[in-house]
């Protein structure tokens, strides 16, 4: 068994049986080995940003890592923006980064670069395998590292001669350490804060934005009056009818400051105290109000949901969570507006949907109009590196083939990783993509005003304009094998959205929405 | 004047008057400042890989840097694959990388990452500007660094508060040091080697692949019998009727070994001794034959062309260079083949064309059939990071608006940076793109055989196959505003290629060529 074969067998043994790949010559032995380990599903993408974004979506929904296969440093850099998002989402991923043979490293061949520096940049677990006999063990450690709470990126560099070398050994899975348990004393301290009756916000982040955490937070809120909020960009938020509806913290600092007005205590549960997404002249970066005390109930890597449940048992033993009633907006009509396109989604969102949300400014109404829709998951842009929505939808659909995936995707961001559509077609994934085609980097129009930049005129505005030429996403999608239609009215959007959901495989709707700004 | 305004004015003062940009919030003051310095042309791209690849193409053709505008670390990583290629091409580029305000750096906001590590990865000149009063001086130094021979990447990190802060000062241009002159003694030593009559190859790299270097190398060859070769992937090769035709070193190590058979002396002129692009089991990485002595006439950063001319004056005072006669293949007919599509290009290549060549396996015949075409430049994939061809064509067309740009682009590589088509349409660039649509990563099919990988079967081959679904580049191009047609025969290609060249603005031809492998 060569090194590559032992690597893939070890991954499968450890439960990693999907590999999003964009290979090159140095990975050819890994590619060949896929035929000797058919349990591993190779999913080809045409660009590494799709590979890593798909692994992110997969990991968020499968609660276990996918592998990626990347071609040396230049292949890895193409995937790093979505690895940045995955790091912020605490998604478990095992990157297998092919490298030149160890014997070839000293020659500065054209594709040579410093892969270690790139691995460091991802804040991940890093290992370069140096021997075919130990690549199996290295892979088992990589899987365990990726699965260690709260989840992280593991980068395993695979030199070509380690891949093709003999004497590969399959390694047994290594169980990662369980998340640490939060001390009783910390729970008691927060319980005391809640019993004080002072104005308190509980900020829910990683590990607290799924059913267990939401139910516990709602009980606490019902019993104590504390207000729960979800962090601005949750990796995976469970919501819809039958679950508590909890608002997200705003994107704009003005919104956050309004949400935290007069709050005396901020309790962090797998989240960080809020900071402004960007800095603005004369405005604060830290958004916790003056005089507000910050308490950490549970940190990343701790058993966040269990801590919340213990806290609920302590302060809200008899309280019932406040559950969202089913409720849908009526189907709207007329030319598409920033409001009515969202109402169409809210009216028709199918049961068990997964929303990959990169709607940006166009999506402001989506949380409101989908709150009472059937239960669904929302995956958001955790790290701000745009070009996430389509790849994450690919990965979510691979992880959950029986659930409908709805990708709400702004036009500018779509173009970063547009080739994800081809992978959707190739794998016949049940993804319905709605492009919010407002023909602008609308968020930047807003930010240009907010930063108080002097003298902006036509030259500046032209760099935020996507209408010269207009982009035709119907043609682009069809060019990559995805059936597509264009919607200019709410009626058209509703009809096309329903039809797309009813038919298997991917569809795209180019929704001509006006820009908010 | 704020920092951003002083920065842009300094760039323009130093001759840098094009900025390929994909901005975000932290760059909004830079964007606004474009209206106060209208001499700077901002060119919007929809993805940073297009931004940096365009700057590479621009720098190769303009012999001076363009600026780029990149959005923090996650924006920069998207551009780094083409920066890798630019580094290998020794292209002068000034990257302006927006960053969070200095006052905001400590808060680990979502887009925060280690930009310094990324700058280091590019092997560039690196500076983080920390004061609005000195950003002008920093910019002048960045331009000088980029222009220092042989040309390099300068990374200037621009925190948002340095950009918006007051008291910006425009700095005068700084003249970079001239390339060092090669010692007479080194020239004399190589002259002695050439006079020995022993079998010698002169390998021409950066600085030697343009008219002066080629003429001198040809004279030397005529007088001494030494064989000149161009490095495998030259950044910019001038060729065509009226210039010496000099073969390129092969891509495959077998080709190189054949080209260097029985060679006793290898003279390097701005090039490195050849190494295999990849390693293969049981095959050599270093390709200089045993017993062959390696001599360096001129290294990167030295005045390579002048050294070659001195050498020619020494050993070939009376020799005339061997100049290529005009010669064209006949226009072929019939269904497209790997040979006849290239003959169409050779038959019709216009005078003064710039070829951006990422044709990969499909382009094997191109050098032969264009040797006697009118004079033209060829820009090749210097660093092996695919996705270069379309962006480099954008940059070349911006640098040389009066010359026709022909982009020969393989299908798989095209998809990495396909949104370059939109920028071509937006700027109405005279680029004729010919997609070599062979529906495969054909080079990997070849490499899969060459690496001797065991057990490759349908799973492996499916990862190299681009035909499920087929890609329709006509639709994709039209979706981005570029008129497009499909060619399945040589006659169609000839007619469409002629028409595209005759009309201003960009065109794309989806050429259905069979895969070689």
């Amino acid at each position: 068994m060569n090194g590559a074969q032992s690597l893939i067998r070890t991954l499968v043994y450890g439960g990693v049986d999907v590999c999003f790949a964009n290979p090159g010559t140095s990975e050819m032995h890994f590619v060949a080995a896929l035929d000797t380990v058919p349990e591993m599903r190779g999913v080809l993408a045409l660009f590494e940003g799709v590979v890593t974004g798909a692994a992110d979506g997969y990991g968020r929904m499968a609660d276990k890592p996918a592998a990626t296969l990347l071609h040396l440093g230049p292949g890895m850099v193409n995937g790093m923006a979505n690895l940045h998002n995955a790091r912020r989402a605490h998604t478990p991923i095992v990157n297998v980064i092919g490298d030149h043979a160890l014997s070839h490293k000293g020659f500065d061949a054209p594709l040579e670069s410093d892969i270690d520096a790139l691995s460091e940049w991802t804040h991940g677990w890093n290992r370069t395998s140096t021997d075919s006999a130990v690549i199996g063990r290295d892979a088992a450690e990589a899987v365990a590292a990726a699965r260690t709470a709260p989840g992280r990126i593991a980068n395993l560099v695979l030199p070509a001669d380690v891949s093709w070398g003999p004497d590969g050994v399959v390694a047994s899975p290594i169980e990662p350490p369980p998340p640490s348990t939060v001390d009783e004393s910390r729970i008691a301290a927060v319980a005391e804060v809640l019993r004080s009756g002072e104005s308190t916000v509980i900020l829910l982040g990683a590990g607290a934005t799924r059913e267990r955490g939401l139910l516990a937070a709602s009980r606490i809120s019902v019993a104590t009056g504390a207000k729960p909020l979800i962090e601005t960009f949750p990796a995976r938020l469970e919501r819809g009818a039958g679950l508590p509806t909890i608002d997200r913290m705003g994107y704009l600092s003005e919104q956050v400051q309004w949400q935290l007005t007069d709050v005396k205590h901020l309790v962090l549960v797998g989240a960080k105290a809020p900071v402004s997404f960007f800095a603005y002249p004369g405005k604060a970066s830290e958004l916790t109000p003056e005089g507000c005390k910050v308490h950490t109930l549970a940190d990343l890597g701790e058993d966040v949901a269990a801590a919340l449940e213990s806290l609920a048992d302590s302060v809200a033993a008899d309280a019932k969570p406040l559950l969202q009633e089913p409720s849908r907006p009526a189907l709207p009509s007329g030319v598409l507006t920033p409001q009515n396109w969202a109402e169409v989604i809210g009216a028709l969102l199918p049961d068990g949907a997964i929303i990959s949300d990169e709607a940006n400014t166009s999506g402001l109404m989506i949380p409101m109009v989908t709150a009472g829709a059937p239960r669904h998951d929302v995956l958001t842009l955790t790290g701000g590196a745009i070009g996430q929505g389509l790849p994450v939808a690919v990965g979510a659909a691979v992880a959950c083939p029986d659930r409908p995936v709805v990708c709400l995707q702004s036009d500018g961001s779509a173009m970063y990783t547009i080739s994800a559509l081809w992978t959707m077609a190739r794998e016949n994934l049940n993804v319905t993509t709605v492009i919010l085609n407002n023909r602008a980097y609308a968020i930047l129009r807003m930010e240009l005003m907010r930063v108080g930049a002097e003298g902006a005129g036509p030259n500046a505005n032209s760099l935020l304009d996507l209408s010269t030429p207009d982009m035709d996403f119907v043609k682009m999608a069809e060019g990559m094998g995805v059936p597509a239609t264009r919607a200019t009215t709410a009626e058209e959007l509703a009809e096309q959205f329903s039809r797309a959901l009813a038919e298997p495989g991917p569809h795209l709707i180019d929704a001509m929405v006006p820009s908010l700004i």
Side-chain angles (χ1 to χ4, degrees), chain A:
Chain A
M1 186 182 317
N2 68 22
Q5 291 163 342
S6 70
L7 164 59
I8 299 177
R9 281 194 194 283
T10 300
L11 291 173
V12 169
Y13 196 1
V16 179
D17 54 9
V18 169
C19 180
F20 298 99
N22 187 270
T25 300
S26 37
E27 292 74 57
M28 281 301 110
H29 286 84
F30 185 110
V31 169
L34 289 171
D35 280 289
T36 64
V37 194
E39 299 89 342
M40 177 65 86
R41 175 178 177 189
V43 177
L44 179 62
L46 298 181
F47 174 64
E48 295 86 352
V50 179
V51 167
T52 55
D56 185 12
Y58 179 95
R60 294 193 202 185
M61 290 310 304
D63 286 326
K64 67 176 189 176
T68 71
L69 183 62
L70 303 170
H71 182 48
L72 302 104
M76 184 174 183
V77 289
N78 281 333
M80 277 168 58
N82 272 333
L83 289 178
H84 174 87
N85 290 325
R87 158 165 95 87
R88 295 290 186 187
H90 314 291
T91 307
I93 295 177
V94 176
N95 292 318
V96 178
I97 304 134
D99 194 9
H100 284 310
L102 294 168
S103 63
H104 196 66
K105 287 291 289 176
F107 297 111
D108 196 33
L111 278 161
E112 181 67 36
S113 76
D114 184 354
I115 298 178
D116 290 346
L118 303 179
S119 296
E120 286 290 331
W121 189 85
T122 69
H123 294 233
W125 173 97
N126 303 323
R127 172 82 50 89
T128 296
S129 206
T130 55
D131 189 334
S132 311
V134 300
I135 177 70
R137 190 205 63 200
D138 290 337
E141 289 186 27
V143 174
R147 290 181 58 218
T148 299
R152 72 191 299 197
I153 295 166
N155 298 301
L156 180 59
V157 179
L158 176 65
D161 45 1
V162 173
S163 189
W164 76 54
D167 304 325
V169 180
V170 180
S172 301
I174 299 168
E175 198 53 35
S180 10
T181 304
V182 172
D183 284 350
E184 288 294 330
S185 62
R186 216 183 320 150
I187 292 165
V190 173
E192 195 173 345
V193 169
L194 292 169
R195 290 197 190 97
S196 74
E198 294 188 320
S199 171
T200 299
V201 159
I202 304 174
L203 186 58
L204 307 174
T209 62
R210 296 179 52 187
E211 182 167 8
R212 283 177 61 199
L214 300 172
L215 291 174
S218 181
R219 289 168 60 205
I220 294 165
S221 175
V222 165
T224 69
K227 182 183 174 187
L229 284 175
I230 306 287
E231 63 182 351
T232 309
F233 293 108
R236 177 177 174 185
L237 172 61
E238 295 184 353
R239 65 197 297 272
L243 282 176
T245 291
I246 299 179
D247 285 346
R248 278 159 62 181
M249 188 161 261
Y251 165 71
L252 303 177
S253 23
E254 299 88 319
Q255 295 172 305
V256 177
Q257 285 165 333
W258 182 82
Q259 288 173 312
L260 297 184
T261 306
D262 296 332
V263 168
K264 298 297 177 212
H265 300 278
L266 178 63
V267 176
L268 303 177
V269 192
K272 292 193 301 183
V275 299
S276 178
F277 208 88
F278 293 104
Y280 302 91
K283 293 191 181 167
S285 288
E286 290 183 292
L287 302 178
T288 308
E290 217 174 296
C292 174
K293 285 190 192 140
V294 178
H295 314 266
T296 297
L297 174 69
D299 214 339
L300 295 170
E302 295 180 323
D303 193 337
V304 171
L308 262 179
E309 286 175 341
S310 291
L311 181 63
D313 291 344
S314 165
V315 300
D318 302 324
K320 295 267 179 283
L322 200 64
L323 303 183
Q324 172 72 47
E325 294 294 324
S327 148
R328 301 262 207 183
L331 268 176
S333 63
V335 168
L336 286 176
T337 68
Q339 165 103 15
N340 70 10
W341 85 262
E343 289 170 347
V344 171
I345 306 301
L348 299 175
L349 192 73
D351 191 23
I354 302 165
I355 297 179
S356 176
D357 178 10
E358 197 177 20
N360 300 348
T361 54
S362 293
L364 289 180
M365 304 297 298
I366 282 290
M368 271 167 277
V369 297
T370 54
R375 192 163 156 163
H376 58 279
D377 288 85
V378 178
L379 315 180
T380 79
L381 180 57
T382 46
I386 60 177
Q388 180 196 268
L390 294 167
V392 158
V394 165
V398 169
C400 303
D402 299 329
R403 296 180 61 177
V405 176
V406 174
C407 180
L408 306 178
Q409 178 64 60
S410 60
D411 50 356
S413 302
M415 293 304 292
Y416 280 63
T417 46
I418 192 71
S419 72
L421 294 172
W422 183 83
T423 299
M424 291 180 193
R426 180 179 180 89
E427 301 287 330
N428 200 33
L429 302 176
N430 292 319
V431 179
T432 299
T433 298
V434 181
I435 297 284
L436 291 323
N437 190 342
N438 65 13
R439 316 194 300 163
Y441 286 129
I443 196 164
L444 296 183
R445 287 190 181 158
M446 178 182 73
E447 296 285 17
L448 184 63
M449 293 186 286
R450 292 182 75 228
V451 300
E454 300 162 29
N459 291 353
N461 284 308
S462 107
L463 285 191
L464 315 181
D465 172 55
L466 303 180
S467 74
T468 49
D470 278 331
M471 285 186 279
D472 181 335
F473 285 92
V474 173
K475 283 191 170 168
M476 282 190 258
E478 289 177 348
M480 287 178 261
V482 171
T485 52
R486 176 163 299 110
T488 57
T489 65
E491 291 89 338
E492 287 169 357
L493 179 60
E495 191 273 325
Q496 293 169 15
F497 189 64
S498 301
R499 191 148 39 89
L501 290 166
E503 288 175 8
H507 297 78
L508 180 140
I509 301 167
D510 193 6
M512 308 307 285
V513 299
S515 171
L516 269 178
I517 296 139

